[in-house]
Amino acid sequence: MSEFSCVDLPLDVEGGELRLVDDGALVRRSILPGGVRVLTERVPHARTASVGMWVGAGSADEGVDRLGSTHFLEHLLFKGTRGRSAQQIAERIDYLGGTVNAATGKQVTYYYGQVVEEDLPGAVDLLADMVAASRLAEADMELERGVILEELAMYDDDAGEVAHERIAALVFGPHPLGRPIGGTRESVSGLAHSSLTAHYRDAYRPRELVVAAAGAVDHDVLCSLVLGSLARAGWDCADGAPPAPRRRRADIVYGAPQDAAIGRSVEQAAVIVAMPAITDEDPRRYALFALNSILGGGTSSRLFQEVRDKRGLAYSTYSFPGLYHEGGLFGMYAGCSPADAANVTALMEECLEAMAGGGVGSAEVETAYRRVRADVAFGAESMGSRMSALGRAELVRGSLVSREESIRRARAVTAEDVADLAADLARAPRSRIVVGPEAAFSR
């Protein structure tokens, strides 16, 4: 098949084979027996490889009796397989000399490693063993339950973590994307072993698996490694099975804005103002990236200058988007003295409204573009970032946008585009959260 440049390329390719070139790196995609998808990006001159095994299930895909199970499985897959004990897994990770870890999100879970090129077969074998042959012993679950409860307690002591976790629920309401990724103390404490193993059987199957790798990797060799490792782990990859379709949940139905105050005995309050925003497929997302940079993305941003530099009301303040196929939010955060929480909240809102009033300068848009261009360039230097882009493109977005095209779209954003989008956000219903002592709750 001929090679071609990637602009915005759908990944549902007839026959499953795809070849493209992006910035000199060869990207390939194949569908293996069992519906396993393999995507690689061979980067010239790279001497390391990053490989990840992804499933398209996150906290938004849990049943009501399984809340927290996706994150629980991430922990438990390190606790032993049919062929390796937990200690042997740990020893193998250290022996490979690179990094082996995992991450759970609202839409995906993945297990990944970054190693020097000659150790890629060992990393693939270890990850496949963990994903396909996990023991999921009930005794291990009970032991790890305590670890996860301690992790949740650690985050619950952090006002900023609590604010970020709860703001999604305020904006998204009962939609599954508003759930906390790790579940709650109550759901984790009550999670049954049978529910956990049922969630594993639903999500961890050949047709649900995506293997993504970037760096010093040969596509055909990796495909052979994946099939061999999965077979040794006990998976039956029957030829002709189709990949699982991408999960598409119901669209978010935004309700009335909500304000919340959560008491915590902390020295610094965390405040967030957030509102509904665009989806991750909206062509205005590049304008949103520019808006985010101008409003709260750096030391010259509106929030940093107005809240920190001119008034000294916060050490950390920034804005952030949270975009999904089903909907999105846009938020502004600050950590401040409890006595200043109300003033800081009002000041953040004023910064957004000033942009909505058309006060966006061409110099700010140029700076935002240059930040996006730098982010793209720095991401290209990281094999882990390249690998993650492949996994998310396959499981979440369904298409691959080249780095050159991303820069072109960022370049095309105008000051008017940013101001118009800011006006849309400013008109949206705003939810607010304050986490801190009682002194932070007065408005």
Side-chain angles (χ1 to χ4, degrees):
M1 185 175 292
S2 61
E3 298 173 2
F4 50 93
S5 295
C6 169
V7 177
D8 191 345
L9 187 71
L11 291 174
D12 292 314
V13 179
E14 186 70 26
E17 176 71 15
L18 172 151
R19 294 172 66 92
L20 57 97
V21 174
D22 181 17
D23 296 346
L26 177 64
V27 179
R28 293 181 63 187
R29 174 186 185 265
S30 296
I31 299 176
L32 307 183
V36 177
R37 285 155 284 176
V38 176
L39 295 92
T40 62
E41 184 172 17
R42 185 174 181 86
V43 181
H45 312 302
R47 292 294 175 264
T48 65
S50 182
V51 59
M53 295 199 173
W54 300 63
V55 293
S59 58
D61 304 296
E62 300 164 345
V64 292
D65 63 335
R66 301 179 184 178
L67 299 182
S69 56
T70 306
H71 176 247
F72 212 133
L73 283 175
E74 178 208 313
H75 278 247
L76 209 54
L77 263 61
F78 285 85
K79 299 302 291 183
T81 70
R82 289 189 292 272
R84 289 184 173 98
S85 67
Q87 182 174 342
Q88 287 172 325
I89 290 174
E91 290 172 349
R92 186 62 175 168
I93 290 172
D94 288 343
Y95 177 80
L96 290 171
T99 299
V100 175
N101 212 329
T104 304
K106 293 181 181 291
Q107 300 172 295
V108 297
T109 310
Y110 63 106
Y111 305 81
Y112 62 94
Q114 180 148 349
V115 293
V116 296
E117 57 183 317
E118 57 263 34
D119 287 329
L120 181 60
V124 171
D125 184 71
L126 175 62
L127 293 173
D129 192 32
M130 292 167 56
V131 167
S134 181
R135 207 166 45 187
L136 301 181
E138 190 165 4
D140 291 334
M141 179 182 177
E142 292 309 316
L143 182 66
E144 202 64 18
R145 193 191 306 269
V147 174
I148 294 172
L149 289 173
E150 288 300 320
E151 181 182 2
L152 294 179
M154 176 183 70
Y155 290 133
D156 203 47
D157 285 337
D158 186 319
E161 289 282 350
V162 174
H164 277 286
E165 178 186 279
R166 302 293 177 86
I167 195 65
L170 295 185
V171 176
F172 294 158
H175 194 278
L177 285 167
R179 297 171 180 164
I181 290 174
T184 65
R185 290 190 64 85
E186 293 73 23
S187 68
V188 171
S189 297
L191 185 63
H193 182 255
S194 59
S195 293
L196 188 72
T197 53
H199 188 56
Y200 174 82
R201 288 192 299 271
D202 289 343
Y204 289 72
R205 296 179 289 164
R207 65 193 303 257
E208 298 279 357
L209 183 65
V210 170
V211 181
V217 56
D218 180 282
H219 183 83
D220 295 323
V221 170
L222 180 64
C223 288
S224 296
L225 288 172
V226 168
L227 283 176
S229 295
L230 292 177
R232 286 191 295 275
W235 269 11
D236 180 14
C237 295
D239 200 6
R246 293 179 188 89
R247 285 177 170 82
R248 289 295 187 245
R249 306 157 198 87
D251 289 346
I252 296 170
V253 178
Y254 303 102
Q258 300 184 64
D259 289 354
I262 299 176
R264 288 291 186 276
S265 181
V266 293
E267 294 296 320
Q268 186 182 74
V271 296
I272 294 180
V273 180
M275 66 287 299
I278 61 178
T279 71
D280 65 358
E281 296 182 328
D282 194 306
R284 295 175 295 168
R285 65 187 182 275
Y286 290 90
L288 184 64
F289 300 155
L291 187 157
N292 183 59
S293 179
I294 294 167
L295 180 61
T299 55
S300 67
S301 68
R302 303 288 185 93
L303 292 180
F304 195 95
Q305 287 296 308
E306 295 297 328
V307 177
R308 174 172 164 162
D309 270 15
K310 292 182 180 179
R311 293 173 176 82
L313 295 176
Y315 174 75
S316 176
T317 182
Y318 53 84
S319 59
F320 58 95
L323 308 184
Y324 305 93
H325 174 79
E326 300 83 356
L329 66 77
F330 184 78
M332 299 173 287
Y333 167 88
C336 62
S337 165
D340 293 327
N343 289 336
V344 168
T345 301
L347 188 57
M348 291 194 298
E349 295 184 21
E350 290 171 10
C351 287
L352 175 62
E353 290 161 2
M355 292 183 68
V360 178
S362 58
E364 290 179 308
V365 175
E366 176 66 22
T367 297
Y369 159 71
R370 294 174 70 85
R371 286 179 62 87
V372 170
R373 185 183 65 175
D375 288 344
V376 171
F378 295 152
E381 297 284 335
S382 165
M383 298 306 106
S385 294
R386 287 178 182 252
M387 180 275 292
S388 293
L390 292 176
R392 295 187 185 281
E394 175 64 39
L395 283 172
V396 178
R397 184 171 169 77
S399 63
L400 189 61
V401 182
S402 71
R403 284 173 282 277
E404 290 179 354
E405 178 65 10
S406 293
I407 292 173
R408 188 196 68 78
R409 294 179 186 180
R411 173 79 285 178
V413 172
T414 67
E416 183 179 9
D417 294 333
V418 175
D420 288 347
L421 185 54
D424 288 346
L425 294 175
R427 286 191 294 265
R430 301 174 196 173
S431 294
R432 305 172 184 88
I433 190 166
V434 180
V435 180
E438 188 176 344
F441 301 157
S442 60
R443 283 186 62 86

